[in-house]
């Protein structure tokens, strides 16, 4: 299960080695084949960890690249020794097992390894003398081989990949084998013949296999302690055989009641038979069964007294004969789980949070169809009530999502549950490590499924995190996924809105390297395409406003992104939006903020020097939209243009002096105590306008901006101004003959504010 504890040194070292095989354990032969360094000798504890962690990384980490020759590193037990390995799904192929055939494996779990064929059955024989535990669960092709593998007759040309069932394989020679899982074995294999050579099985899983006769199980009546017959259609004959297996401690005859029709119904007599004969039973699973007759005690008696697990008080009548409470009782999707007195320490069911979590825990690995329904119940609990076992719930859902990355139902229900389990109500209970694990499985889901519900759930869950801080460790990956969503031709409106919001948050308050990297991914073009589509629809909604806001953020002090905006016809869209939506104040603020960033780049300013653009900026000086923000930003754009001097004014209309006059009038109309809807990370673009005499109005705008910010937000902006060397620049400006008197007065007030701030915050403690 997903853990909230710090990673062990062993785990950290294993992870590092696997991500850097060439720099640690291996070298490349002929630039393609991995080879172990000749002086390396690793015990099974390390080799097992390397293999099992490798499988996990391939399955759950999209950045991790598998190595075709990885398993050959473990071909020689003299240098690398394996004992217990767990392999899953498409990761393992026949040649991989063949590569480790010389190992003395004790435990081999092969789960849903659909690429394995009958060639791997022969490899299994290599492990027969040491193997104690073997799982072939879901390896649906392992009993198939290609017809005529050595040659080709006429019909091979017609059907060259024709498969035939291998019927002569048995576990002959597997003398030490005690634990065997054949779950979902392909139909046609004779299970009795296959198993007959095994002398003393202790645990057998025959999940999903339909057998009319299970009499052969009695050959292990003195050794079998665990039997799983999940989804087997039972009969009276099956029950009689089970009752003879008196050593059983764990019995699972549960079923998925939605999968198909089952004739068998549980009765009081059957449960009595189990209790009477299976006296060692500590775990019983009867989930999904319909009770043919009432197995419960009378209702009045059932509701008396405090909840008890003592068998004598059991609400399920047959279990009153138990000598002690069961360790586990599976009652998921049965009416029995809602009773008051259930004689078991752990119960799976749908009555409450504890039962639901027990169900997810018990069924995740091999029963995704049951797990998805249990997670759906957890979703309702988290949504409607308060989840009392948050840490356990999160860990179980994370494990299920990682284990069943390609199962749509689990991805839908799991991502929905994560949204509620990670909201602000629960944040204080979650560690950084756990929240990182949530982010990783959410991104896995977004990668694997383009399905609307999964995408929406994943995007909503990401909104529960502090952005960009908590997503920084997956910054590139999350941006790529969101841009991929936004670039799809057919989009769900709600997903589009959430994805644009996330994109905007991700490029806000991050360093310029991050912004440049995201810009190169196509961020600017993607936002402009969204704007273009909204313009075509004559719609100014959150997507439109978020898109302009995102462009404002990503162009901040990032010249390359500013240039992209201009190159991709950004100014044309600006003018069209201004014309189409003249009353949209938030939109105007975002657009002018973006153009302020463009105007800060000297090399790009000539592209803004057109009569049309300058006229638009000049007219916006008188705008009262969003307080002073639109007017302020328009003046900022013009201040940078004016800073280039009269010789750069390459237009006849409007006249430079006329625009300067309007700028002075605009600045004088602003309230110096205006609260701002703006966030400066640096004053550098403003400060560069101070030590110059070519444009006094630009100097005045910059000084007004500083005065406003240090007056209204002294705690944030006084330290920033001092840190970036603004005070000496202001002092020098006061001495300049070209500076206006009112500008100098304002500069003195800025210096005074910062001086007072320093004195008030001076540490006087001894």
């Amino acid at each position: 299960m997903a853990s909230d504890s710090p990673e062990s040194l062993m785990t950290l070292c294993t992870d590092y080695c696997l991500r850097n095989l060439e720099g640690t354990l291996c070298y490349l032969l002929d630039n393609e084949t991995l080879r172990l360094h000749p002086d390396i000798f690793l015990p099974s504890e390390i080799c097992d960890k390397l293999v099992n962690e490798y499988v996990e990384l391939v399955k759950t980490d999209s950045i991790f690249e598998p190595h075709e020759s990885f398993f050959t590193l473990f071909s020689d037990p003299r240098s690398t020794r394996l004992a217990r390995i767990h392999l899953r799904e498409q990761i393992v192929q026949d040649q991989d097992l063949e590569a480790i055939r010389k190992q003395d494996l004790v435990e081999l779990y092969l789960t849903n390894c659909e690429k394995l064929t009958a060639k791997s059955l022969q490899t299994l024989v290599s492990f027969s003398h040491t193997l104690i535990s073997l799982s072939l669960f879901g390896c649906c092709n392992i009993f198939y081989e290609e017809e005529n593998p050595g040659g080709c007759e006429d019909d091979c040309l017609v059907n060259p990949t024709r498969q035939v069932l291998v019927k002569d394989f048995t576990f002959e020679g597997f003398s030490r084998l005690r634990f065997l899982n054949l779950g979902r074995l392909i139909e046609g294999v004779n299970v009795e013949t296959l198993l007959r050579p095994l002398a003393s099985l202790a645990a057998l899983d025959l999940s999903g296999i339909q057998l009319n006769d299970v009499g052969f199980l009695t050959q292990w009546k003195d050794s079998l302690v665990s039997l799983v017959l999940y989804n087997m259609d039972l009969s009276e004959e099956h029950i009689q055989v089970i009752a003879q297996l008196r050593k059983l401690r764990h019995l699972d005859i549960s079923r998925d009641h939605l999968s198909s029709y089952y004739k068998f119904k549980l009765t009081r007599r059957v449960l009595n038979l189990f209790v009477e004969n299976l006296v060692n039973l500590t775990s019983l699973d009867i989930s999904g069964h319909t009770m043919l007759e009432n197995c419960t005690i009378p209702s009045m008696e059932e509701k008396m007294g405090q909840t008890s697990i003592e068998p004598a008080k059991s609400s399920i009548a047959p279990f009153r004969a138990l000598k002690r409470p069961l360790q586990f009782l599976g009652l998921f999707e049965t009416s029995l789980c809602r009773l008051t007195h259930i004689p078991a320490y752990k119960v799976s069911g749908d009555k409450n949070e504890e039962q639901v979590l027990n169900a997810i825990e018990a069924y995740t690995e091999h029963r995704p169809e049951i797990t998805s329904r249990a997670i759906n119940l957890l979703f309702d609990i988290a949504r409607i009530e308060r989840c009392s076992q948050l840490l356990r719930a999160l860990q179980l859902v994370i494990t299920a999502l990682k284990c069943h990355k390609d199962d749509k139902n689990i991805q839908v229900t799991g991502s929905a549950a994560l949204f509620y389990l990670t909201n602000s109500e629960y944040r204080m209970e979650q560690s950084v490590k756990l929240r990182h694990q949530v982010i990783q499985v959410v991104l896995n889901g977004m990668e694997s499924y383009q399905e609307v519900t999964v995408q929406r759930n994943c995007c909503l869950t990401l909104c529960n995190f502090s952005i960009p801080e908590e997503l920084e460790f997956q910054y590139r990956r999350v941006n790529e996924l969101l841009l991929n969503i936004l670039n799809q031709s057919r989009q769900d409106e709600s997903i589009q809105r959430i994805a644009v919001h996330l994109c905007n948050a991700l490029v806000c308050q991050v360093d310029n390297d991050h912004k440049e990297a995201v810009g190169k991914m196509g961020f600017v073009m993607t936002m402009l395409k969204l704007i273009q589509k909204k313009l075509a629809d004559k719609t100014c909604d959150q997507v439109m406003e978020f898109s302009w806001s995102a462009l404002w953020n990503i162009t901040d002090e990032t010249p390359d992104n500013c240039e992209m905006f201009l190159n991709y016809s950004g100014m044309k869209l600006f003018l069209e939006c201004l014309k189409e939506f003249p009353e949209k104040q938030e939109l105007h603020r975002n657009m002018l903020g973006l153009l302020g960033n463009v105007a800060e780049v000297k090399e790009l300013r000539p592209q803004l020097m057109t009569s049309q653009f300058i006229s638009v900026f000049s007219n916006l000086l008188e705008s009262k939209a969003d307080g002073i923000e639109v007017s302020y930003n328009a003046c900022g754009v013009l201040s940078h243009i004016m800073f280039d001097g009269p010789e750069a004014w390459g237009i006849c209309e409007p006249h430079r002096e006329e625009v300067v006059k309007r700028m002075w009038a605009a600045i004088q109309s602003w309230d110096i105590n205006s609260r701002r809807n703006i966030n400066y990370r640096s004053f550098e673009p403003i400060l560069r306008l101070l030590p110059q005499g070519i444009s006094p109005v630009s100097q005045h705008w910059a000084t007004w901006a500083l005065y406003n910010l240090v007056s209204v937000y002294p705690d944030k902006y006084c330290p920033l101004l001092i840190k970036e060397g603004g005070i000496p620049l202001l002092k020098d400006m006061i001495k300049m003959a070209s500076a206006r008197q009112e500008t100098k007065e304002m500069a003195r007030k800025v210096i005074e504010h910062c001086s007072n701030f320093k004195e008030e915050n001076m540490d006087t403690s001894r």
Side-chain angles (χ1 to χ4, degrees), residues 18 21-22 26-36 51 54 58 64-76 80 91 93 95-100:
L18 288 170
L21 281 171
E22 287 178 56
C26 308
Y27 65 94
L28 267 186
L29 181 67
D30 302 327
N31 286 325
E32 56 178 350
T33 307
L34 280 173
R35 285 287 183 268
L36 204 67
V51 170
Y54 171 83
V58 173
F64 184 79
E65 290 193 15
H67 295 273
E68 197 171 310
S69 55
F70 175 77
F71 287 92
T72 62
L73 299 177
F74 307 91
S75 58
D76 187 351
T80 51
I91 297 161
Q93 301 183 44
Q95 61 266 31
D96 299 322
L97 274 189
E98 173 68 16
I100 60 171

Side-chain angles (χ1 to χ4, degrees), residues 616-744:
V616 168
F617 299 145
S618 300
N619 292 334
L620 288 170
L621 287 169
E622 289 148 25
S623 170
K624 302 300 179 193
D626 201 18
I628 69 165
E629 296 302 335
V630 171
S631 176
Y632 170 88
N633 284 326
C635 199
V637 172
L638 291 167
S639 292
H640 287 287
I641 290 172
M642 293 293 176
F643 178 53
D644 290 335
E647 63 277 7
W649 196 266
I651 55 174
C652 297
E653 292 289 337
H655 294 297
R656 188 173 188 272
E657 294 73 21
E658 178 192 335
V659 176
V660 167
K661 186 178 177 182
R662 293 178 74 175
M663 289 170 68
W664 279 109
I667 298 169
Q668 287 161 356
S669 72
W670 302 336
D671 179 0
I672 197 65
N673 294 313
S674 297
R675 300 198 69 80
R676 306 301 305 284
N677 198 349
I678 199 165
N679 188 19
Y680 282 101
R681 290 189 305 125
S682 169
F683 282 143
E684 194 278 328
I686 294 176
L687 295 176
R688 73 170 77 127
L689 298 177
L690 295 178
Q692 52 89 20
I694 202 163
S695 175
V697 72
S698 303
Q699 200 174 49
H700 191 69
W701 174 83
T703 309
W704 189 97
L706 295 173
Y707 185 28
N708 166 253
L709 292 167
V710 299
S711 301
V712 181
Y713 308 102
D715 291 348
K716 179 174 183 179
Y717 289 117
C718 284
L720 182 63
L721 184 59
I722 294 166
K723 177 186 172 185
E724 295 194 334
I727 303 301
L729 289 174
L730 288 165
K731 288 179 177 178
D732 289 345
M733 188 198 72
I734 292 170
K735 298 172 186 175
M736 291 174 64
S738 60
R740 290 276 192 100
Q741 193 59 38
E742 57 196 296
T743 308
K744 293 180 180 182

Side-chain angles (χ1 to χ4, degrees), residues 140-152:
C140 55
N141 294 312
I142 200 165
F143 280 87
Y144 279 112
E145 66 180 358
E146 287 185 25
E147 192 172 33
N148 301 315
C152 191

Side-chain angles (χ1 to χ4, degrees), residues 465-476:
F465 292 82
S466 298
I467 303 171
E469 296 83 7
E470 288 191 284
L471 300 184
E472 189 104 27
F473 78 109
Q474 295 277 296
Y475 191 78
R476 182 178 184 87

Side-chain angles (χ1 to χ4, degrees), residues 418-436:
L418 284 182
F419 171 69
Y420 285 100
L421 292 170
T422 56
N423 66 26
S424 56
E425 181 185 1
Y426 298 119
R427 177 169 291 197
M428 295 302 293
E429 301 173 51
Q430 299 163 14
S431 68
V432 172
K433 179 185 174 186
L434 196 63
R435 287 176 75 80
H436 275 194

Side-chain angles (χ1 to χ4, degrees), residues 364-535:
T364 286
E365 183 163 14
H366 292 138
R367 301 177 195 175
E369 64 281 3
I370 305 294
T371 306
S372 65
R373 301 205 290 273
I375 293 176
N376 202 43
L377 292 169
L378 177 64
F379 162 77
D380 287 333
I381 291 167
R383 180 172 59 92
I384 300 166
E385 308 166 29
R386 178 174 170 81
C387 192
S388 60
Q389 298 184 55
L390 175 71
L391 181 60
R392 185 182 176 209
L394 265 177
Q395 289 172 333
L396 287 170
V397 174
I398 290 169
T399 299
L401 286 167
K402 288 170 77 173
C403 188
H404 300 287
K405 187 179 172 184
D406 301 318
D407 187 292
K408 178 185 169 183
N409 290 331
I410 285 196
Q411 292 299 319
V412 169
T413 57
S415 57
L418 284 182
F419 171 69
Y420 285 100
L421 292 170
T422 56
N423 66 26
S424 56
E425 181 185 1
Y426 298 119
R427 177 169 291 197
M428 295 302 293
E429 301 173 51
Q430 299 163 14
S431 68
V432 172
K433 179 185 174 186
L434 196 63
R435 287 176 75 80
H436 275 194
Q437 289 175 336
V438 172
I439 291 166
Q440 285 171 324
V441 294
V442 164
L443 298 183
N444 287 346
M446 290 173 71
E447 266 173 347
S448 299
Y449 281 94
Q450 303 304 314
E451 202 271 336
V452 170
T453 310
V454 174
Q455 296 279 346
R456 186 190 298 115
N457 291 348
C458 290
C459 285
L460 282 170
T461 301
L462 290 178
C463 292
N464 286 336
F465 292 82
S466 298
I467 303 171
E469 296 83 7
E470 288 191 284
L471 300 184
E472 189 104 27
F473 78 109
Q474 295 277 296
Y475 191 78
R476 182 178 184 87
R477 185 182 177 201
V478 70
N479 273 290
E480 285 175 343
L481 288 168
L482 289 169
L483 291 176
N484 183 52
I485 289 173
L486 292 172
N487 281 316
Q488 291 168 11
S489 54
R490 297 180 65 181
Q491 292 178 4
D492 176 87
E493 281 288 328
S494 62
I495 297 177
Q496 187 184 66
R497 185 172 61 253
I498 303 162
V500 174
H501 162 73
L502 287 167
C503 282
N504 187 25
L506 280 162
V507 294
C508 183
Q509 300 298 303
V510 293
D511 61 47
N512 294 347
D513 289 343
H514 279 66
K515 291 179 183 179
E516 286 175 6
V518 174
K520 288 171 183 171
M521 291 180 203
F523 188 100
V524 175
M525 181 178 280
T526 299
M527 294 302 142
L528 290 173
K529 282 181 179 176
L530 290 173
I531 292 166
Q532 194 168 33
K533 187 175 187 309
K534 291 296 176 183
L535 255 175

